[in-house]
Amino acid sequence: MLALALKFEGLIHQGVVQDDAELARLGQVSRARVTQIMNLLNLAAEIQEEILSWGSGGPAQRSIPETAIRTLSGEILWSRQRERWKNWAVAR
């Protein structure tokens, strides 16, 4: 989903689509769902990089539910995101 959010952001910046509402119409999903996906871009850069480095064939212990990542992206302070991310990684 994070890679999709980056793709969506690129489409908007390139002018291919006008906004999130147009993405929702084209993808036949709700605008709320597009917002959920786009909010993943609020993750600290190093967390995004780590998630993207896993790739689609990453080991099973590297999977995390999207809902958990969405909750993490809702934390506005990157320092708190990093702490929660570190705690999650230790628990795995």
Side-chain angles (χ1 to χ4, degrees):
M1 288 295 130
L2 179 56
L4 184 59
L6 290 166
K7 178 68 173 178
F8 284 174
E9 182 181 51
L11 292 172
I12 292 169
H13 286 292
Q14 294 168 6
V16 175
V17 295
Q18 185 176 2
D19 54 23
D20 291 0
E22 186 175 357
L23 283 169
R25 279 192 305 278
L26 291 171
Q28 298 180 3
V29 296
S30 69
R31 183 145 191 282
R33 182 63 177 139
V34 171
T35 298
Q36 287 176 337
I37 294 167
M38 295 299 284
N39 283 345
L40 297 176
L41 299 174
N42 295 331
L43 291 167
E46 61 270 18
I47 296 172
Q48 288 186 35
E49 288 173 12
E50 186 172 346
I51 291 169
L52 292 170
S53 75
W54 297 345
S56 60
Q61 68 267 23
R62 297 283 187 184
S63 66
I64 183 169
E66 179 199 349
T67 54
I69 297 294
R70 272 192 279 152
T71 301
L72 184 63
S73 71
E75 174 58 63
I76 61 171
L77 295 176
W78 281 6
S79 59
R80 289 186 186 160
Q81 281 185 12
R82 290 180 191 106
E83 184 64 28
R84 289 174 63 190
W85 182 254
K86 184 174 112 180
N87 291 338
W88 171 81
V90 169
R92 294 282 185 234

